[in-house]
Amino acid sequence: MTLAPHLDSKYIVRGELALGGLRDLAPSLRYASLLTEDGFSVVSVAGKEFDSDRFASMASSTQALADAVARELQLGDNEFVIVAAAHGHVVQVRVDDHPLVLAALFTDKETIGISLTAARRTARRLNTLLMAN
Amino acid sequence: MAEHVILFAGPMGAGKTSAIRALSEIDVVSTEAANSDRTVADKPTTTVALDYGEIGINEAEKVRLYGVPGQRRFDFMWTILAERAEGVLLLVNADADNPVETAIEYVKEFFALYERGGIVIGLTRADLVPRALIEEYANALADEMPDVMIPVLTVDARSQEEMMTLLMTLIANIELKQAVADSIGVGVGSGGRRAR
Ligand SMILES: Nc1nc2c(ncn2[C@@H]2O[C@H](COP(=O)(O)OP(=O)(O)O)[C@@H](O)[C@H]2O)c(=O)[nH]1
Ligand SMILES: [Mg+2]
């Protein structure tokens, strides 16, 4: 039986590396989590005030609901999810080829465009990191 | 058109998703994700937000079926979906550890919906264990919550017919409760008896 990503040191170590890079790309990052698509936190950075398990569960539900809407409306694959609120925004992207979601919370100092670009680059970088043995 | 909103609750692997798929007359909206927790339930996917299905019980009545994720880490979805629901169809798999305690725990969790409409329990996967006496469940419930009336039936969550029987039992309970409330002129849920 293969180890689930949240229990697998390969995912944890490379996830930490990728999330560290995200902070450099977007300094207004408040919190970021790499989670399994069924809502287990693999790694998270910044934001000690957040409950990482709860954040991961909510990100998992949000991702699945957004994917379901795209599927229902026959829009093809859902590429990302954005929750834009008065005091910040959350960007979520899937990591290709893995049952993983990257979810990142930015303050309102960052534009959504920059946050989105940073999150997508981080997900691609993680995909590359995971390809190496 | 009259509508009923029913919540399907219970632990992961009990058969909530299977039951909604068996019952629904529309394509079910589902939110399955790869399951990283094979020790709790050995199945490839698990529900992470909701299942949604619909059935018409006659010309004038429609039933909306909402399934929740079983894992407690998704309990914010329980709260969101419970707000709209009138009753709970609680599924508990007989092959889990401590199924009787689990049943009671979930009844307590959704007790506000018992008071609003009703709860029924479907004991699933009973064919996989040597004994799954429904009397055990009924007795444990009676001990724990003496004033509470919750029907317990053995069902196969994959069976449209068996799930329909359980669902109609729940709807009958809800309608009875509403009729009683109307006749004595109080809102359903107010002044109901609490467990203990
Ligand atoms: N043998 C047996 N399998 C069942 C029965 N009811 C449901 N199942 C199976 O148990 C699993 C339940 O999974 P699922 O519907 O995803 O459960 P959920 O987590 O409550 O949504 C499925 O593989 C069903 O086919 C039953 O009465 N007997
Ligand atoms: Mg399910």
Side-chain angles (χ1 to χ4, degrees):
Chain A
M1 207 165 98
T2 54
L3 212 52
H6 63 290
L7 306 174
D8 186 338
S9 62
K10 175 180 152 179
Y11 283 94
I12 296 170
V13 170
R14 295 172 200 195
E16 264 168 6
L17 206 64
L19 290 192
L22 174 59
R23 232 169 165 175
D24 301 334
L25 290 173
S28 82
L29 183 73
R30 264 188 83 191
Y31 185 74
S33 166
L34 179 69
L35 51 122
T36 65
E37 63 174 36
D38 63 338
F40 288 104
S41 170
V42 181
V43 280
S44 58
V45 291
K48 289 277 173 293
E49 72 271 33
F50 295 101
D51 175 341
S52 62
D53 293 334
R54 192 157 175 88
F55 187 90
S57 304
M58 295 194 101
S60 157
S61 301
T62 307
Q63 185 71 39
L65 280 171
D67 291 353
V69 171
R71 199 163 54 236
E72 195 75 6
L73 301 176
Q74 302 183 353
L75 301 175
D77 287 343
N78 177 32
E79 289 181 23
F80 52 84
V81 179
I82 291 181
V83 177
H87 303 300
H89 50 271
V90 179
V91 177
Q92 296 187 190
V93 282
R94 283 184 176 274
V95 179
D96 283 347
D97 309 327
H98 299 274
L100 296 172
V101 175
L102 171 70
L105 166 62
F106 302 87
T107 66
D108 52 3
K109 289 196 188 72
E110 206 75 77
T111 67
I112 288 178
I114 289 176
S115 305
L116 178 59
T117 306
R120 291 174 115 173
R121 276 175 67 181
T122 303
R124 275 201 301 275
R125 171 137 184 270
L126 180 58
N127 171 268
T128 310
L129 288 171
L130 288 170
M131 261 190 276
N133 282 318
Chain B
M1 191 178 197
E3 253 185 29
H4 288 295
V5 177
I6 304 298
L7 200 68
F8 286 60
M12 174 186 183
K16 302 175 293 296
T17 298
S18 307
I20 291 180
R21 287 183 177 167
L23 284 167
S24 181
E25 288 164 358
I26 63 160
D27 283 345
V28 172
V29 176
S30 45
T31 58
E32 294 294 294
N35 174 20
S36 330
D37 196 3
R38 291 293 189 106
T39 51
V40 173
D42 193 13
K43 52 179 193 154
T45 68
T46 186
T47 309
V48 295
L50 52 80
D51 290 306
Y52 176 72
E54 281 177 14
I55 36 179
I57 36 178
N58 54 46
E59 301 284 88
E61 276 181 295
K62 179 155 123 182
V63 188
R64 297 182 186 274
L65 314 170
Y66 287 92
V68 295
Q71 302 89 326
R72 189 166 282 280
R73 66 177 186 279
F74 293 111
D75 62 1
F76 54 90
M77 289 301 308
W78 303 359
T79 313
I80 294 170
L81 294 173
E83 266 172 34
R84 346 184 24 173
E86 298 172 86
V88 179
L89 195 153
L90 177 59
L91 295 180
V92 179
N93 46 323
D95 62 333
D97 294 337
N98 308 319
V100 178
E101 288 81 351
T102 304
I104 289 172
E105 181 191 323
Y106 277 84
V107 167
K108 287 183 174 166
E109 187 72 45
F110 291 97
F111 200 74
L113 279 171
Y114 170 79
E115 294 185 313
R116 196 185 306 160
I119 296 183
V120 294
I121 297 178
L123 192 58
T124 62
R125 297 170 64 96
D127 51 309
L128 302 175
V129 291
R131 53 191 285 280
L133 298 173
I134 44 179
E135 291 83 62
E136 260 186 61
Y137 291 77
N139 290 341
L141 274 166
D143 286 349
E144 191 80 19
M145 306 175 175
D147 297 336
V148 171
M149 287 273 293
I150 296 180
V152 186
L153 272 71
T154 303
V155 289
D156 185 324
R158 302 163 296 183
S159 157
Q160 192 267 347
E161 204 185 330
E162 292 179 28
M163 288 313 306
M164 197 64 178
T165 304
L166 190 59
L167 179 64
M168 294 319 289
T169 305
L170 176 58
I171 289 175
N173 275 358
I174 293 171
E175 287 179 343
L176 184 65
K177 202 167 250 177
Q178 285 168 351
V180 171
D182 289 347
S183 71
I184 58 173
V186 298
V188 174
S190 64
R193 275 189 292 190
R194 303 206 133 268
R196 301 215 282 177

